[in-house]
Amino acid sequence: MERRHRQRERPLGIVVQKYGGSSVATAEHIKAVAGKIQRARKAGLDLVVVASAMGKTTDRLLRLAGEVSSDPSPREIDQLLATGEEQSVALLAMALHDRGVPAVSLTGPQAGMRATGRYGSGVISEIRPGRIRRLLGEGRVVIVAGFQGMNALGDVMTLGRGGSDTTAVALAAALGADRCEIYTDVDGVYTADPRIVPGARRIPVISYAEMSEMAWRGAKVMHPRAVELGALYGVEIHVLSSFDEESPGTIITGGEKVEHLETRETVAGIVHDTDVARITLNGVRTGPGTLSKVFTPLAERGISVDVIVESGIKEGVADIAFTVSRADFAEARSAAGEVARALGGSVEGEEGLAKVSVVGTGMLNRPGYAARMFSALGSEGIPIRMVSTSEIQVTCVIPAERVQEAVRRLHRDFELEEREDV
Ligand code: ADP
Ligand code: ASP
Ligand code: MG
């Protein structure tokens, strides 16, 4: 069998396929994925497959870590979480062997994925694809554990929640693949999370810019860094359903395939994120350099800050508020508390918040989108705590318990259900 594969005709090209947690949730799912891979291979493609951990395995492992330790070490958490993906790839290889498909599974480190940064949010620094290429050359399907790489110490690091998408797109870039297919439990990118807005519409083609903004703002169907890599290396990403083979899904791309990018009058979608906490420094002495005093200690701890508002500036005293993810809340609050006290003020924090965003290049240079958003939220009686805008998005921070209402109302008010021009 090996010989025959080695002597194959020139392959049509490399395709990277990624299967998310719900696509490999059970043994039955894994067998179904093996069937899909076998069919794709019969079409003459060289396949590299990235798999996530089965179902909710990553959540379960995180809970277990919390049960054995009140403060588990980040290195050990990564060591633990990486096993989730390692199980999936080995099982998928076995299911392929059962079908007579030559397949081999690799952990991230075995596949040449190098990572750097903080445990739990590593970034891919380099890919050494030699081994994958050799295995493809032997006619094998190569199955790579998503969401992990090896750091300079030789330790395994994970890439942040949802990071298997990034593994897949990075591999597609490194291998010069024709495209990267992301198989998930919805049949594409929608104008809002279809689990919250039943009338949401599938977007057939979306630009990297819009998708990147949607992903950063919380549309978890794609990991934001995966979209950025796609844009950077020109990897076309197809978001497809693992369960519905008929749907054409969504193509994330750039250039001429995305029509009317600047003249389109509508927004692309409504996005929400419930992983939001706010920290406010009240009554701090302000002047040149104050913001740097507040945010440098956070940056040094690797904490990302999102919406920032400085307000109530009077006689050299101001309030400074910003948002962070819940995981960073305690650390950010204590760091901000030290700065606030040094500047004669106090600190206050609030969890239980959410962000809702209107995203789209349709907003470029057109005023009025923010006002429309405020009036939609206002007429629903939803309080807006903070606002941030850029040329292709407006984001409001609101109470988390109102987020579903907000998304539905905005989806309706921005006429995303009726639109004809996608
Ligand atoms: P996977 O495990 O395959 O990586 P995820 O759970 O990470 O899947 O992402 C798929 C989920 O993303 C969907 O089930 C859906 O609820 C959610 N989602 C959020 N926003 C959107 C959107 N705009 N379009 C499609 N899905 C979305
Ligand atoms: N298993 C990881 C997570 O649940 C990575 C991924 O699924 O992309 O976040
Ligand atoms: Mg995902």
Side-chain angles (χ1 to χ4, degrees), residues 18 20-21 183-186 188-190 192-195 214 219-221:
K18 177 255 172 178
Y183 287 92
T184 183
D185 58 359
V186 282
V189 179
Y190 276 69
D193 186 342
R195 297 191 197 288
M214 283 180 73
K220 75 171 177 113
V221 61

Side-chain angles (χ1 to χ4, degrees), residues 210-244:
E210 282 181 323
M211 188 65 234
S212 168
E213 196 67 42
M214 283 180 73
W216 281 114
R217 301 275 148 204
K220 75 171 177 113
V221 61
M222 280 297 304
H223 196 235
R225 279 159 40 204
V227 185
E228 297 211 328
L229 280 180
L232 204 57
Y233 293 95
V235 177
E236 198 163 278
I237 303 169
H238 295 207
V239 181
L240 296 156
S241 165
S242 280
F243 310 109
D244 171 3

Side-chain angles (χ1 to χ4, degrees), residues 329-341:
F329 180 65
E331 198 178 348
R333 189 187 160 127
S334 102
E338 279 174 33
V339 180
R341 282 185 290 279

Side-chain angles (χ1 to χ4, degrees), residues 116-153:
T116 182
R118 289 203 301 169
Y119 289 109
S121 57
V123 292
I124 298 170
S125 51
E126 190 190 348
I127 298 181
R128 301 185 184 173
R131 187 163 179 192
I132 296 181
R133 282 197 195 285
R134 271 198 307 282
L135 291 165
L136 288 175
E138 291 169 9
R140 293 181 207 258
V141 174
V142 184
I143 308 172
V144 180
F147 172 61
Q148 54 180 258
M150 188 176 82
N151 70 10
L153 298 171

Side-chain angles (χ1 to χ4, degrees), residues 206-378:
I206 188 168
S207 66
Y208 293 118
E210 282 181 323
M211 188 65 234
S212 168
E213 196 67 42
M214 283 180 73
W216 281 114
R217 301 275 148 204
K220 75 171 177 113
V221 61
M222 280 297 304
H223 196 235
R225 279 159 40 204
V227 185
E228 297 211 328
L229 280 180
L232 204 57
Y233 293 95
V235 177
E236 198 163 278
I237 303 169
H238 295 207
V239 181
L240 296 156
S241 165
S242 280
F243 310 109
D244 171 3
E245 301 218 338
E246 300 300 309
S247 172
T250 294
I251 298 176
I252 306 169
T253 185
E256 72 284 5
K257 288 198 179 165
V258 185
E259 288 170 29
H260 317 306
L261 209 56
E262 285 203 79
T263 52
R264 209 176 57 204
E265 300 252 330
T266 47
V267 299
I270 311 297
V271 182
H272 71 283
D273 183 355
T274 50
D275 182 13
V276 183
R278 180 176 62 110
I279 289 162
T280 309
L281 292 82
N282 288 315
V284 291
R285 279 193 305 280
T286 183
T290 306
L291 289 178
S292 139
K293 282 188 194 125
V294 174
F295 293 110
T296 304
L298 297 171
E300 281 167 0
R301 288 170 168 82
I303 297 173
S304 300
V305 171
D306 191 25
V307 183
I308 300 174
V309 176
E310 188 175 13
S311 61
I313 308 169
K314 224 164 54 190
E315 287 158 13
V317 173
D319 300 333
I320 299 166
F322 57 90
T323 60
V324 293
S325 71
R326 286 193 193 161
D328 288 333
F329 180 65
E331 198 178 348
R333 189 187 160 127
S334 102
E338 279 174 33
V339 180
R341 282 185 290 279
L343 295 172
S346 60
V347 75
E348 178 200 329
E350 184 180 11
E351 292 182 273
L353 293 172
K355 285 185 283 197
V356 59
S357 310
V358 174
V359 174
T361 46
M363 302 201 278
L364 273 171
N365 305 321
R366 274 189 210 91
Y369 280 91
R372 242 170 109 184
M373 184 176 187
F374 303 153
S375 99
L377 295 176

Side-chain angles (χ1 to χ4, degrees), residues 199 201 411-421:
R201 291 178 35 158
H411 196 265
R412 202 168 65 231
D413 279 24
F414 281 90
E415 295 167 8
L416 289 169
E417 276 147 44
E418 289 104 88
R419 78 196 243 214
E420 301 279 322
D421 68 329

